Amino acid sequence: MSPNQVYKILSKKISTCQKISDCKLVAGDILIRRYITKRTWLIDKLAHPYFTHSAFYLGNDRIVEAVGTERNPEDDIQISTLSRSDWFNDDIKNWVIVRPKNIEPKINTIKNNLANIAEDREYRFGLPQQGYKRFTCADLIFNQLKENGFIKISDTPKIISPDYLFWLTTLNSMDFEIVGYSISIEKPT
């Protein structure tokens, strides 16, 4: 997505918070951000995505995310404490929180599935491959939303990016809503 596309979508929304730490998160919230780090700079230069990472809020200050390739591969997909993560860094200026509507009947199933994936030592960060347990940050979330009926598409792309996850959820205002964001881009002319 381009900055103008993101601006166009978000300019019609009202944010209930100015920083992620000020947002009243509920289990099921999807956190999506643009934050260039040592891990994301190459992808940013090659693919030019707007958003570079996503995580799923489990509740009680806990998130699950596919963080990338770690020294210990068992840590590629992990459950972390949100308030002690880089999601609370002051220099994160571009983020969005998307909330699935009516997630309560499925939230325990989704949380259990994500916890099982994070605890399974065979799951690794990476593009999906037949016969391997691999997830990217956005694919991890997308998979659970699709399996539990929040996303209803038949032609799923091979690569699910944070941009795609954002775009897809904003297309469906019946099942998703933006509850907070901060985007530091100029209004398009």
Side-chain angles (χ1 to χ4, degrees):
M1 296 192 78
S2 73
N4 286 348
Q5 290 170 313
V6 172
Y7 179 85
K8 189 173 183 178
I9 291 168
L10 293 176
S11 67
K12 300 172 186 137
K13 312 288 183 194
I14 296 173
S15 182
T16 60
C17 46
Q18 301 304 311
K19 296 185 333 186
I20 294 173
S21 59
D22 296 334
C23 295
K24 305 264 188 275
L25 299 177
V26 299
D29 284 350
I30 302 162
L31 288 74
I32 305 172
R33 73 180 185 202
R34 175 173 177 76
Y35 187 52
I36 306 304
T37 65
K38 289 178 183 178
R39 291 177 189 236
T40 61
W41 76 268
L42 183 59
I43 291 171
D44 184 55
K45 295 296 179 205
L46 297 176
H48 307 292
Y50 184 79
F51 292 110
T52 58
H53 189 50
S54 57
F56 188 89
Y57 187 67
L58 298 170
N60 298 319
D61 198 26
R62 308 290 284 166
I63 57 172
V64 64
E65 58 187 335
V67 295
T69 305
E70 295 286 302
R71 282 188 188 150
N72 182 356
E74 297 167 5
D75 296 332
D76 287 4
I77 300 172
Q78 58 185 254
I79 295 174
S80 308
T81 302
L82 176 61
S83 60
R84 287 190 260 145
S85 73
D86 64 357
W87 284 90
F88 273 30
N89 287 2
D90 288 335
D91 59 342
I92 295 180
K93 305 291 184 213
N94 301 297
W95 54 268
V96 176
I97 299 169
V98 179
R99 181 168 294 156
K101 296 178 180 179
N102 304 314
I103 197 169
E104 294 81 17
K106 299 277 188 163
I107 191 63
N108 287 333
T109 300
I110 294 170
K111 286 168 47 175
N112 288 337
N113 290 346
L114 290 170
N116 289 337
I117 290 168
E119 292 168 7
D120 186 330
R121 296 177 178 269
E122 293 181 27
Y123 276 101
R124 302 286 187 264
F125 177 83
L127 296 175
Q129 287 181 291
Q130 188 71 20
Y132 293 92
K133 294 180 172 184
R134 303 275 189 262
F135 282 115
T136 64
C137 61
D139 190 46
L140 178 69
I141 298 164
F142 174 87
N143 188 297
Q144 289 302 309
L145 294 173
K146 186 172 181 191
E147 282 183 14
N148 287 281
F150 290 94
I151 294 175
K152 301 165 188 79
I153 60 170
S154 57
D155 192 22
T156 303
K158 288 185 180 187
I159 298 174
I160 306 297
S161 68
D163 277 359
Y164 181 77
L165 185 62
F166 170 75
W167 174 78
L168 191 61
T169 58
T170 59
L171 279 182
N172 190 348
S173 62
M174 297 299 293
D175 292 322
F176 298 94
E177 64 183 323
I178 294 172
V179 296
Y181 70 90
S182 176
I183 302 293
S184 60
I185 53 178
E186 297 293 319
K187 181 179 178 182
T189 54

PDB file of all heavy atoms in Angstrom, residues 63-85:
ATOM      1  N   ILE A  63       0.704 -10.367  23.828  1.00  0.00           N
ATOM      2  CA  ILE A  63       0.529 -10.448  22.384  1.00  0.00           C
ATOM      3  C   ILE A  63       1.196 -11.705  21.874  1.00  0.00           C
ATOM      4  O   ILE A  63       2.095 -12.257  22.517  1.00  0.00           O
ATOM      5  CB  ILE A  63       1.130  -9.225  21.643  1.00  0.00           C
ATOM      6  CG1 ILE A  63       2.625  -9.051  21.972  1.00  0.00           C
ATOM      7  CG2 ILE A  63       0.323  -7.973  21.910  1.00  0.00           C
ATOM      8  CD1 ILE A  63       3.329  -7.995  21.140  1.00  0.00           C
ATOM      9  N   VAL A  64       0.729 -12.166  20.726  1.00  0.00           N
ATOM     10  CA  VAL A  64       1.420 -13.242  20.016  1.00  0.00           C
ATOM     11  C   VAL A  64       1.833 -12.663  18.676  1.00  0.00           C
ATOM     12  O   VAL A  64       1.073 -11.916  18.047  1.00  0.00           O
ATOM     13  CB  VAL A  64       0.547 -14.515  19.871  1.00  0.00           C
ATOM     14  CG1 VAL A  64      -0.683 -14.259  19.027  1.00  0.00           C
ATOM     15  CG2 VAL A  64       1.353 -15.674  19.322  1.00  0.00           C
ATOM     16  N   GLU A  65       3.071 -12.977  18.281  1.00  0.00           N
ATOM     17  CA  GLU A  65       3.573 -12.459  17.022  1.00  0.00           C
ATOM     18  C   GLU A  65       4.657 -13.372  16.468  1.00  0.00           C
ATOM     19  O   GLU A  65       5.354 -14.045  17.214  1.00  0.00           O
ATOM     20  CB  GLU A  65       4.116 -11.033  17.184  1.00  0.00           C
ATOM     21  CG  GLU A  65       5.214 -10.890  18.206  1.00  0.00           C
ATOM     22  CD  GLU A  65       5.618  -9.452  18.472  1.00  0.00           C
ATOM     23  OE1 GLU A  65       5.427  -8.573  17.601  1.00  0.00           O
ATOM     24  OE2 GLU A  65       6.146  -9.202  19.566  1.00  0.00           O
ATOM     25  N   ALA A  66       4.734 -13.404  15.156  1.00  0.00           N
ATOM     26  CA  ALA A  66       5.850 -14.061  14.478  1.00  0.00           C
ATOM     27  C   ALA A  66       6.883 -12.958  14.290  1.00  0.00           C
ATOM     28  O   ALA A  66       6.738 -12.100  13.431  1.00  0.00           O
ATOM     29  CB  ALA A  66       5.404 -14.645  13.141  1.00  0.00           C
ATOM     30  N   VAL A  67       7.904 -12.961  15.139  1.00  0.00           N
ATOM     31  CA  VAL A  67       8.823 -11.832  15.216  1.00  0.00           C
ATOM     32  C   VAL A  67       9.925 -11.858  14.176  1.00  0.00           C
ATOM     33  O   VAL A  67      10.579 -10.857  13.929  1.00  0.00           O
ATOM     34  CB  VAL A  67       9.450 -11.705  16.625  1.00  0.00           C
ATOM     35  CG1 VAL A  67       8.386 -11.382  17.649  1.00  0.00           C
ATOM     36  CG2 VAL A  67      10.219 -12.948  17.005  1.00  0.00           C
ATOM     37  N   GLY A  68      10.173 -12.993  13.575  1.00  0.00           N
ATOM     38  CA  GLY A  68      11.251 -13.111  12.602  1.00  0.00           C
ATOM     39  C   GLY A  68      12.197 -14.212  13.022  1.00  0.00           C
ATOM     40  O   GLY A  68      11.981 -14.897  14.016  1.00  0.00           O
ATOM     41  N   THR A  69      13.245 -14.363  12.268  1.00  0.00           N
ATOM     42  CA  THR A  69      14.214 -15.406  12.534  1.00  0.00           C
ATOM     43  C   THR A  69      15.026 -15.041  13.775  1.00  0.00           C
ATOM     44  O   THR A  69      15.678 -13.999  13.804  1.00  0.00           O
ATOM     45  CB  THR A  69      15.144 -15.597  11.320  1.00  0.00           C
ATOM     46  OG1 THR A  69      14.326 -15.846  10.175  1.00  0.00           O
ATOM     47  CG2 THR A  69      16.085 -16.759  11.530  1.00  0.00           C
ATOM     48  N   GLU A  70      14.974 -15.879  14.775  1.00  0.00           N
ATOM     49  CA  GLU A  70      15.682 -15.662  16.034  1.00  0.00           C
ATOM     50  C   GLU A  70      16.889 -16.589  16.124  1.00  0.00           C
ATOM     51  O   GLU A  70      16.983 -17.581  15.407  1.00  0.00           O
ATOM     52  CB  GLU A  70      14.736 -15.952  17.212  1.00  0.00           C
ATOM     53  CG  GLU A  70      13.566 -14.998  17.310  1.00  0.00           C
ATOM     54  CD  GLU A  70      13.977 -13.633  17.814  1.00  0.00           C
ATOM     55  OE1 GLU A  70      14.539 -13.534  18.915  1.00  0.00           O
ATOM     56  OE2 GLU A  70      13.745 -12.650  17.075  1.00  0.00           O
ATOM     57  N   ARG A  71      17.817 -16.287  17.030  1.00  0.00           N
ATOM     58  CA  ARG A  71      18.959 -17.189  17.257  1.00  0.00           C
ATOM     59  C   ARG A  71      18.471 -18.580  17.615  1.00  0.00           C
ATOM     60  O   ARG A  71      18.981 -19.572  17.133  1.00  0.00           O
ATOM     61  CB  ARG A  71      19.849 -16.664  18.381  1.00  0.00           C
ATOM     62  CG  ARG A  71      20.724 -15.555  17.950  1.00  0.00           C
ATOM     63  CD  ARG A  71      21.712 -15.188  19.015  1.00  0.00           C
ATOM     64  NE  ARG A  71      22.394 -13.979  18.579  1.00  0.00           N
ATOM     65  CZ  ARG A  71      22.864 -13.071  19.374  1.00  0.00           C
ATOM     66  NH1 ARG A  71      22.767 -13.211  20.672  1.00  0.00           N
ATOM     67  NH2 ARG A  71      23.454 -12.003  18.888  1.00  0.00           N
ATOM     68  N   ASN A  72      17.497 -18.621  18.504  1.00  0.00           N
ATOM     69  CA  ASN A  72      16.852 -19.875  18.855  1.00  0.00           C
ATOM     70  C   ASN A  72      15.570 -19.946  18.024  1.00  0.00           C
ATOM     71  O   ASN A  72      14.612 -19.224  18.309  1.00  0.00           O
ATOM     72  CB  ASN A  72      16.534 -19.928  20.349  1.00  0.00           C
ATOM     73  CG  ASN A  72      15.898 -21.227  20.762  1.00  0.00           C
ATOM     74  OD1 ASN A  72      15.608 -22.083  19.935  1.00  0.00           O
ATOM     75  ND2 ASN A  72      15.673 -21.379  22.050  1.00  0.00           N
ATOM     76  N   PRO A  73      15.523 -20.789  16.984  1.00  0.00           N
ATOM     77  CA  PRO A  73      14.355 -20.836  16.088  1.00  0.00           C
ATOM     78  C   PRO A  73      13.025 -21.081  16.807  1.00  0.00           C
ATOM     79  O   PRO A  73      11.979 -20.699  16.295  1.00  0.00           O
ATOM     80  CB  PRO A  73      14.677 -21.986  15.134  1.00  0.00           C
ATOM     81  CG  PRO A  73      16.153 -22.117  15.182  1.00  0.00           C
ATOM     82  CD  PRO A  73      16.566 -21.717  16.569  1.00  0.00           C
ATOM     83  N   GLU A  74      13.069 -21.664  17.980  1.00  0.00           N
ATOM     84  CA  GLU A  74      11.836 -21.901  18.735  1.00  0.00           C
ATOM     85  C   GLU A  74      11.193 -20.595  19.193  1.00  0.00           C
ATOM     86  O   GLU A  74      10.032 -20.579  19.592  1.00  0.00           O
ATOM     87  CB  GLU A  74      12.127 -22.799  19.936  1.00  0.00           C
ATOM     88  CG  GLU A  74      12.610 -24.173  19.513  1.00  0.00           C
ATOM     89  CD  GLU A  74      13.211 -24.980  20.654  1.00  0.00           C
ATOM     90  OE1 GLU A  74      13.186 -24.521  21.813  1.00  0.00           O
ATOM     91  OE2 GLU A  74      13.695 -26.080  20.378  1.00  0.00           O
ATOM     92  N   ASP A  75      11.943 -19.497  19.136  1.00  0.00           N
ATOM     93  CA  ASP A  75      11.435 -18.189  19.550  1.00  0.00           C
ATOM     94  C   ASP A  75      10.902 -17.355  18.390  1.00  0.00           C
ATOM     95  O   ASP A  75      10.508 -16.208  18.592  1.00  0.00           O
ATOM     96  CB  ASP A  75      12.534 -17.398  20.270  1.00  0.00           C
ATOM     97  CG  ASP A  75      12.975 -18.048  21.564  1.00  0.00           C
ATOM     98  OD1 ASP A  75      12.155 -18.753  22.181  1.00  0.00           O
ATOM     99  OD2 ASP A  75      14.145 -17.863  21.953  1.00  0.00           O
ATOM    100  N   ASP A  76      10.892 -17.901  17.177  1.00  0.00           N
ATOM    101  CA  ASP A  76      10.415 -17.153  16.010  1.00  0.00           C
ATOM    102  C   ASP A  76       8.979 -16.675  16.189  1.00  0.00           C
ATOM    103  O   ASP A  76       8.623 -15.573  15.787  1.00  0.00           O
ATOM    104  CB  ASP A  76      10.483 -18.005  14.743  1.00  0.00           C
ATOM    105  CG  ASP A  76      11.883 -18.235  14.218  1.00  0.00           C
ATOM    106  OD1 ASP A  76      12.861 -17.801  14.863  1.00  0.00           O
ATOM    107  OD2 ASP A  76      11.989 -18.863  13.145  1.00  0.00           O
ATOM    108  N   ILE A  77       8.145 -17.526  16.753  1.00  0.00           N
ATOM    109  CA  ILE A  77       6.745 -17.195  17.042  1.00  0.00           C
ATOM    110  C   ILE A  77       6.609 -17.245  18.549  1.00  0.00           C
ATOM    111  O   ILE A  77       6.882 -18.275  19.162  1.00  0.00           O
ATOM    112  CB  ILE A  77       5.778 -18.166  16.348  1.00  0.00           C
ATOM    113  CG1 ILE A  77       5.988 -18.091  14.826  1.00  0.00           C
ATOM    114  CG2 ILE A  77       4.331 -17.839  16.725  1.00  0.00           C
ATOM    115  CD1 ILE A  77       5.227 -19.130  14.034  1.00  0.00           C
ATOM    116  N   GLN A  78       6.199 -16.129  19.143  1.00  0.00           N
ATOM    117  CA  GLN A  78       6.229 -16.056  20.600  1.00  0.00           C
ATOM    118  C   GLN A  78       5.085 -15.247  21.177  1.00  0.00           C
ATOM    119  O   GLN A  78       4.490 -14.416  20.496  1.00  0.00           O
ATOM    120  CB  GLN A  78       7.556 -15.478  21.066  1.00  0.00           C
ATOM    121  CG  GLN A  78       7.857 -14.107  20.521  1.00  0.00           C
ATOM    122  CD  GLN A  78       9.227 -13.601  20.909  1.00  0.00           C
ATOM    123  OE1 GLN A  78       9.314 -12.730  21.756  1.00  0.00           O
ATOM    124  NE2 GLN A  78      10.271 -14.135  20.304  1.00  0.00           N
ATOM    125  N   ILE A  79       4.844 -15.508  22.436  1.00  0.00           N
ATOM    126  CA  ILE A  79       3.909 -14.711  23.232  1.00  0.00           C
ATOM    127  C   ILE A  79       4.775 -13.780  24.077  1.00  0.00           C
ATOM    128  O   ILE A  79       5.726 -14.223  24.716  1.00  0.00           O
ATOM    129  CB  ILE A  79       3.013 -15.596  24.105  1.00  0.00           C
ATOM    130  CG1 ILE A  79       2.118 -16.458  23.212  1.00  0.00           C
ATOM    131  CG2 ILE A  79       2.181 -14.743  25.067  1.00  0.00           C
ATOM    132  CD1 ILE A  79       1.269 -17.479  23.945  1.00  0.00           C
ATOM    133  N   SER A  80       4.454 -12.488  24.038  1.00  0.00           N
ATOM    134  CA  SER A  80       5.252 -11.476  24.733  1.00  0.00           C
ATOM    135  C   SER A  80       4.347 -10.585  25.569  1.00  0.00           C
ATOM    136  O   SER A  80       3.141 -10.515  25.357  1.00  0.00           O
ATOM    137  CB  SER A  80       5.983 -10.590  23.725  1.00  0.00           C
ATOM    138  OG  SER A  80       6.697 -11.335  22.800  1.00  0.00           O
ATOM    139  N   THR A  81       4.966  -9.848  26.466  1.00  0.00           N
ATOM    140  CA  THR A  81       4.275  -8.820  27.236  1.00  0.00           C
ATOM    141  C   THR A  81       4.279  -7.541  26.408  1.00  0.00           C
ATOM    142  O   THR A  81       5.348  -7.013  26.078  1.00  0.00           O
ATOM    143  CB  THR A  81       4.974  -8.599  28.590  1.00  0.00           C
ATOM    144  OG1 THR A  81       4.999  -9.845  29.292  1.00  0.00           O
ATOM    145  CG2 THR A  81       4.249  -7.554  29.421  1.00  0.00           C
ATOM    146  N   LEU A  82       3.108  -7.071  26.041  1.00  0.00           N
ATOM    147  CA  LEU A  82       2.985  -5.910  25.165  1.00  0.00           C
ATOM    148  C   LEU A  82       3.715  -4.700  25.738  1.00  0.00           C
ATOM    149  O   LEU A  82       4.481  -4.043  25.039  1.00  0.00           O
ATOM    150  CB  LEU A  82       1.513  -5.580  24.916  1.00  0.00           C
ATOM    151  CG  LEU A  82       1.232  -4.336  24.080  1.00  0.00           C
ATOM    152  CD1 LEU A  82       1.818  -4.463  22.688  1.00  0.00           C
ATOM    153  CD2 LEU A  82      -0.263  -4.067  24.018  1.00  0.00           C
ATOM    154  N   SER A  83       3.492  -4.398  27.008  1.00  0.00           N
ATOM    155  CA  SER A  83       4.061  -3.181  27.596  1.00  0.00           C
ATOM    156  C   SER A  83       5.584  -3.229  27.698  1.00  0.00           C
ATOM    157  O   SER A  83       6.216  -2.195  27.894  1.00  0.00           O
ATOM    158  CB  SER A  83       3.449  -2.915  28.971  1.00  0.00           C
ATOM    159  OG  SER A  83       3.717  -3.996  29.845  1.00  0.00           O
ATOM    160  N   ARG A  84       6.189  -4.389  27.548  1.00  0.00           N
ATOM    161  CA  ARG A  84       7.651  -4.505  27.564  1.00  0.00           C
ATOM    162  C   ARG A  84       8.209  -4.789  26.170  1.00  0.00           C
ATOM    163  O   ARG A  84       9.387  -5.077  26.018  1.00  0.00           O
ATOM    164  CB  ARG A  84       8.089  -5.605  28.536  1.00  0.00           C
ATOM    165  CG  ARG A  84       7.920  -5.167  29.979  1.00  0.00           C
ATOM    166  CD  ARG A  84       8.573  -6.135  30.919  1.00  0.00           C
ATOM    167  NE  ARG A  84       7.528  -6.990  31.464  1.00  0.00           N
ATOM    168  CZ  ARG A  84       7.666  -8.254  31.757  1.00  0.00           C
ATOM    169  NH1 ARG A  84       8.807  -8.860  31.575  1.00  0.00           N
ATOM    170  NH2 ARG A  84       6.661  -8.940  32.243  1.00  0.00           N
ATOM    171  N   SER A  85       7.374  -4.669  25.163  1.00  0.00           N
ATOM    172  CA  SER A  85       7.799  -4.953  23.791  1.00  0.00           C
ATOM    173  C   SER A  85       8.133  -3.659  23.058  1.00  0.00           C
ATOM    174  O   SER A  85       7.865  -2.564  23.549  1.00  0.00           O
ATOM    175  CB  SER A  85       6.685  -5.694  23.040  1.00  0.00           C
ATOM    176  OG  SER A  85       5.620  -4.801  22.741  1.00  0.00           O
TER     177      SER A  85
END
